[in-house]
Amino acid sequence: MPTIPSSDPVQTGTATNYRKPFLTITFLFFMWGFITVMNDVLIPHLKEVFELSYFQAALIQFAFFGAFFIISLLYFIVSVSKGDPISKIGYKNGIIIGLLLCGLGCCLFYPATIFQRYGIFLSALFVLASGVTILQIAANPYAAILGKPETASSRLNLAQGFNSFGATLAPLIGALLLYKVFSNGEITVESLKIPYLIYGGLFFVLVLIIKTIKLPSFKNTESLEKGLHVLKFRHVVLGMIAIFVYVGGEVTIGSFLINFFKLDNIAGMSESQGGVFLSYYWGGAMIGRFLGSIAMGSMTDRIQKYTLMAGLSILSFLVIYVITGVQNNDGVFSLELIPFAQIQFFLFFLVINYLAFMVGGSRPSRILTLFASIVIILLAIMIMADGTVAFWSAIAIGAFNSILWSNIFTLAIKDLGKYTSQASSLLVMMIVGGAIVPIIQGAVADEIGIQLSFIVPIICYAYLIFYGLSGYQVKPIKE
C-alpha cells in the first residue's frame, strides 16, 4: 500500500477546490464499508438456501478477504520489482479500476442466481473484493491529499467514520431488500439478483462521477526500498500478526452474529430481525471511530474535547436509533422505534466506551490494550450468559473494535523511515485474517455449537493485548 505522497494540486484560486472531490472520495469509503458488511447478511442467507455447514458458509469471507491477500501480494511484488503501479497509472485511474471491478463483481451475482451455484457466488465475491482492495490502495492517499497536509489525519478519520456509516446501513438495507422487497416472504437465491444489480449500478455511476470530477494531480517523490529488510523490525513482524488476528476476529464476530441472535437461549430472532440489530453492532463501530478521531486528535482543551465527544456520541446514537426504526409493511414505510427499555444495555456500553477513551487518552498502545481487554470480557459474557445480557454484550463489541485497526497500523509503522511503504503493503496483506479466522470458527461451531465457538476470537484479542503491552515497542536494527 503506497504511503501518502507529496501533493502538487491544481490551484484555481479558491478554497473550495477540494470540497466536491473529497465528498466523492468519502462516498467511496461509505460504499466499500456497505458492500463489505453485506457479507454478514449474505452468510446466513446462503447458509439456509444451500443448506451449508458453518464452515461452508464461512467460505464467503474466505473468498472475499482472500482477494485482499492475493491482490495486495501481487501489488507488493510488482512494487518492489517494477515500482509503484498506482503512481504510474495515477490514483484517479486506480480508483476507476477498483470501481469497475466492484461493479463487475456485483453484476456476477446475476448469473450466480440463474445457475444457483455456490461456487459462482464465491467467484463473484472474489472479483468484488479485488475491486475493494484496489480502492483501499488508491483512495486512502487521495483522501489524505485533498486539503492541508496538517489536517490529513483528520480527513482520513472522517472518511473512515463514513465507512462505518455504510457498514451500519448495510444490514438494514440488505435485510429489507433480501427478506422483504425481493423475497415474496421466502428465502431464495432469486432475492439476491436485483439488490446486487442495484449495488453494481451504483459503482458504475461512481465511475462516471470520478471521470468527470476534477481531482488534484500529485507526485509520489518517495523511493520504494527493494528487498525484505523491513522484516528485521520486530514491531513490524508482530504488527503483521496483530493485523491478521484483529481483522480475523472482527470479521468472524460480525459473520456469525445473526446466527448467534437466532439461538433460542439468546434472542430467537429471524434473520431479518437480526439484520436490524447488526446495525447497532456496526453503528457502535461508527461511534467509536468518530470519538477516536477527537480523543486522539490535536484538541488541547479537555473540557471542550470531552463535551464534543459526548455530544457526537449522543447524536450518532440517535441517528442509528431512528434509522433502525424504519419499517416496511407491504410497501408502506413507517417509523416504529424500539422502546428505550430494550436498548438500555447498548446505552450503558456506549457510556463505558466513552469512559474508556478518557482513560486511554491519546496513546495508541494503551487504547489497544484497554479495548482488546474489554472485547475479551464481552466475548466471555457471550459464551457464558444467555438472553439480553449476552445479546447486547455481542453488539457492544463493535464500539470497542472501532479504532483498533488504526492503532495497530500506527504502532506497526512507527520509526520506519524509508521502509514505511514496504511495511504498509505487508500490513494490508494481513487482512487475509478475515479469510482464515472465520472458517476456523465455522469448523469449531460445527463441532461444539455457535455460542461456544466464540472462544476463537478470544484467542485473537488476547494476542492484541500482548502487542499493546510489549509487541509494539520499536527495537532498532543495525544497517
Side-chain angles (χ1 to χ4, degrees):
M1 178 179 172
T3 51
I4 298 171
S6 57
S7 59
D8 183 22
V10 178
Q11 300 292 341
T12 61
T14 66
T16 60
N17 293 342
Y18 301 121
R19 189 167 299 169
K20 288 183 179 179
F22 181 70
L23 288 174
T24 305
I25 297 302
T26 298
F27 191 66
L28 294 184
F29 279 79
F30 172 89
M31 280 300 297
W32 86 55
F34 180 95
I35 207 67
T36 299
V37 174
M38 270 302 301
N39 290 349
D40 295 345
V41 179
L42 198 62
I43 286 173
H45 186 85
L46 292 182
K47 182 179 184 298
E48 184 163 341
V49 170
F50 289 107
E51 299 180 348
L52 305 172
S53 66
Y54 284 115
F55 175 83
Q56 292 171 323
L59 290 176
I60 290 173
Q61 300 292 29
F62 182 81
F64 194 89
F65 288 94
F68 275 77
F69 175 76
I70 293 174
I71 299 302
S72 295
L73 177 61
L74 292 174
Y75 191 94
F76 175 76
I77 292 172
V78 173
S79 294
V80 298
S81 59
K82 303 293 185 181
D84 190 349
I86 294 293
S87 291
K88 291 183 178 180
I89 68 173
Y91 280 73
K92 180 175 180 177
N93 289 331
I95 290 173
I96 289 173
I97 291 172
L99 288 171
L100 287 172
L101 284 173
C102 287
L104 176 61
C106 289
C107 290
L108 287 176
F109 271 70
Y110 189 88
T113 59
I114 292 177
F115 292 103
Q116 298 194 15
R117 292 287 187 267
Y118 186 46
I120 302 179
F121 281 108
L122 296 180
S123 299
L125 284 167
F126 185 91
V127 174
L128 171 57
S130 297
V132 174
T133 305
I134 295 175
L135 286 178
Q136 289 263 23
I137 292 172
N140 279 289
Y142 247 130
I145 67 168
L146 293 176
K148 298 179 181 179
E150 56 268 26
T151 58
S153 177
S154 175
R155 287 191 298 279
L156 285 172
N157 282 325
L158 180 60
Q160 286 291 339
F162 279 95
N163 179 271
S164 292
F165 185 50
T168 302
L169 291 181
L172 289 171
I173 296 176
L176 177 66
L177 295 179
L178 266 59
Y179 300 119
K180 292 186 178 181
V181 178
F182 297 110
S183 68
N184 294 321
E186 300 178 358
I187 297 178
T188 64
V189 173
E190 289 294 320
S191 63
L192 294 169
K193 187 185 299 182
I194 302 302
Y196 274 86
L197 284 178
I198 293 173
Y199 304 152
L202 288 174
F203 280 114
F204 290 138
V205 168
L206 276 173
V207 170
L208 298 177
I209 293 174
I210 291 294
K211 285 183 70 67
T212 56
I213 284 186
K214 189 175 184 180
L215 294 174
S217 60
F218 57 88
K219 302 174 183 177
N220 191 346
T221 58
E222 186 180 71
S223 62
L224 187 65
E225 288 294 314
K226 296 182 179 181
L228 294 174
H229 300 291
V230 71
L231 294 180
K232 295 181 180 179
F233 289 90
R234 170 181 176 269
H235 73 291
V236 173
V237 175
L238 296 179
M240 290 170 62
I241 300 173
I243 290 290
F244 180 95
V245 297
Y246 163 67
V247 175
E250 180 191 46
V251 170
T252 198
I253 292 169
S255 298
F256 292 109
L257 271 189
I258 292 181
N259 287 298
F260 179 73
F261 296 159
K262 290 170 65 177
L263 296 177
D264 291 334
N265 65 315
I266 301 300
M269 288 184 170
S270 66
E271 292 172 14
S272 59
Q273 290 173 322
V276 171
F277 284 94
L278 190 62
S279 291
Y280 277 92
Y281 173 84
W282 290 109
M286 177 185 71
I287 292 173
R289 285 178 175 175
F290 283 143
L291 295 191
S293 66
I294 300 173
M296 306 184 73
S298 58
M299 189 178 295
T300 56
D301 189 319
R302 293 172 65 88
I303 296 178
Q304 184 179 4
K305 174 187 289 188
Y306 294 132
T307 301
L308 180 59
M309 288 171 61
L312 187 58
S313 182
I314 294 170
L315 178 61
S316 299
F317 163 75
L318 291 176
V319 170
I320 300 168
Y321 184 59
V322 171
I323 289 175
T324 53
V326 176
Q327 302 293 323
N328 175 32
N329 300 311
D330 298 325
V332 179
F333 288 91
S334 60
L335 187 62
E336 300 176 14
L337 299 177
I338 302 172
F340 260 76
Q342 294 184 21
I343 58 173
Q344 57 183 328
F345 277 102
F346 184 71
L347 296 173
F348 169 76
F349 284 123
L350 287 184
V351 173
I352 297 298
N353 183 250
Y354 176 82
L355 295 176
F357 272 115
M358 295 180 67
V359 173
S362 58
R363 290 179 55 185
S365 59
R366 183 187 296 175
I367 286 283
L368 174 59
T369 303
L370 178 60
F371 278 40
S373 300
I374 294 175
V375 171
I376 288 179
I377 293 172
L378 294 173
L379 285 167
I381 294 174
M382 286 177 62
I383 292 173
M384 295 184 292
D386 295 326
T388 303
V389 174
F391 177 80
W392 286 107
S393 294
I395 291 176
I397 290 174
F400 297 95
N401 265 336
S402 54
I403 61 168
L404 294 187
W405 163 275
S406 59
N407 286 358
I408 296 169
F409 210 92
T410 300
L411 294 170
I413 63 174
K414 184 180 180 184
D415 297 340
L416 290 182
K418 60 185 180 181
Y419 297 110
T420 301
S421 183
Q422 193 177 88
S424 297
S425 296
L426 292 171
L427 290 168
V428 169
M429 264 185 250
M430 291 300 102
I431 291 176
V432 73
I436 303 300
V437 178
I439 64 173
I440 294 175
Q441 181 166 349
V444 173
D446 288 330
E447 294 297 324
I448 63 176
I450 189 66
Q451 187 168 7
L452 292 177
S453 72
F454 282 95
I455 187 68
V456 174
I458 284 181
I459 297 172
C460 294
Y461 287 91
Y463 178 86
L464 295 183
I465 293 177
F466 155 74
Y467 191 72
L469 290 174
S470 171
Y472 76 94
Q473 295 175 0
V474 180
K475 294 186 178 181
I477 62 173
K478 294 180 181 180
E479 295 287 348

